[in-house]
Structures are given as structure tokens and as C-alpha cells.
Amino acid sequence: MPPETPSHAIDRLDDDDYPAYTMGRAAEMIGATPGFLRAIGEARLITPLRSEGGHRRYSRYQLRIAARARELVDGGTPVEAACRIVILEDQLEEALRLNEELRGGRAER
């Protein structure tokens, strides 16, 4: 990766999709283990980007998803089921957003 200019690097800090966190830091932030992050990656809930050295990097958006899965697992839901629930919740949220967007467009006409 080419070095970033200071202003460009600061802009990235506000980007929810920028893979800024190492696996260890990400696990610490959501109160989980690296093994948990690997498990939800294997279940295809999140796919961390890789650094040039091959290390996993997580974005804030991915950490929110992982934290929700962790809540479910802590409540007794198996990892695979928790991942499916989070995926369905995300799909529902997107469908509701699109529905609201379409309704808003209709109201303007």
C-alpha cells in the first residue's frame, strides 16, 4: 500500500468500511476472542480484508455486526444460528430502508 497523506489518513478514520482494526484489537473491542472472529468469518457473516502481510483487518461496520452476533451467542444461540439471525436482521433493515425511500419518493409526486 502506498503511504497516505495525513489528510487522506484522517478521512479514512471516519469511513465505517475502512479496515482499521487488527484481529486482536477487534476482539478486544467487542469482548470476544480471536477464535470467535474466525468462527463468524468461517460462517461468512463477515469477511475481513487482509493486509499485505496477510493479517486480518476489520472495519467498524464489521465490528458492529460481530458484536451483535456475540450478544446472541452469549445468550445461548449457536454461532451458525446467530450468524443467520444477524444476516436476516441486516436484510430486513435494508428492505425497510428501501421501502421508506420508495414511500418518500411517492409522497413527493
Side-chain angles (χ1 to χ4, degrees), residues 30-82:
I30 65 167
T33 64
F36 175 79
L37 290 174
R38 280 191 289 276
I40 63 174
E42 289 169 12
R44 297 190 178 151
L45 177 61
I46 58 175
T47 304
L49 292 176
R50 299 280 182 151
S51 69
E52 287 181 16
H55 300 284
R56 290 174 179 90
R57 295 282 189 253
Y58 297 88
S59 68
R60 288 190 312 215
Y61 173 74
Q62 290 173 323
L63 292 183
R64 282 195 302 276
I65 299 250
R68 175 63 182 134
R70 183 180 172 269
E71 281 178 26
L72 292 167
V73 170
D74 286 352
T77 305
V79 170
E80 289 286 334

Side-chain angles (χ1 to χ4, degrees), residues 1 4 6-7 12 37-38 41 50 62-63 75 82 93 105 109:
M1 291 180 129
E4 296 184 23
S7 64
R12 292 294 215 170
L37 290 174
R38 280 191 289 276
R50 299 280 182 151
Q62 290 173 323
L63 292 183
E93 184 178 314
R109 291 182 193 161

